Amino acid sequence: RTLTLTHVFTRTHAHARPMNFSYYFRQYIGFILAVLSFAGVAFAGVSERDYGIPTNTVLYASVGACFVGLAFHECRPFQRKARMTFSKEEHDQEWAAFKAEVAAAQAEADGKKTD
């Protein structure tokens, strides 16, 4: 098997998806916007006094970024779709199905690598 730069710099997700810039952007942009929103709210108290930016402008932009981040977070493509449960049987069943799905995806990815 020949290694290329793509193989060296691209790790694989549990579902055999490449973990490149697009993966990280789609997965973590909601978290980054939430952190920026928190920083904006913390900054709003001194924004007008120190920088001349109205407090309301900073607060509205922070809340807007927070809602956009929430939408991105809820729509991120690589999230587990399991239900919340306290039943050990349901948990074991969902976990077995998840492991089988990962194994099938890995087998499919291994099959594509040999082609």
Side-chain angles (χ1 to χ4, degrees):
R1 180 177 128 173
T2 307
L3 285 179
T4 63
L5 286 177
T6 305
H7 289 99
V8 173
F9 291 111
T10 304
R11 295 187 340 208
T12 304
H13 185 264
H15 291 288
R17 295 182 180 107
M19 294 174 65
N20 50 20
F21 175 76
S22 174
Y23 170 87
Y24 287 111
F25 179 81
R26 295 172 70 188
Q27 191 71 5
Y28 296 110
I29 187 65
F31 174 72
I32 292 168
L33 286 173
V35 170
L36 291 176
S37 298
F38 177 76
V41 170
F43 169 76
V46 297
S47 65
E48 193 164 5
R49 182 189 70 206
D50 294 345
Y51 301 99
I53 303 170
T55 303
N56 285 344
T57 302
V58 175
L59 287 175
Y60 290 143
S62 297
V63 170
C66 182
F67 281 117
V68 170
L70 177 65
F72 274 115
H73 175 74
E74 290 301 321
C75 296
R76 70 188 193 275
F78 308 120
Q79 58 183 328
R80 190 160 172 244
K81 302 288 187 194
R83 297 185 333 268
M84 179 72 157
T85 181
F86 291 104
S87 168
K88 182 168 178 16
E89 292 80 22
E90 285 183 30
H91 172 269
D92 291 342
Q93 183 181 10
E94 286 181 3
W95 186 247
F98 175 71
K99 285 171 54 176
E101 180 184 339
V102 169
Q106 188 64 44
E108 180 181 336
D110 290 342
K112 288 181 180 179
K113 287 180 186 176
T114 59
D115 293 340

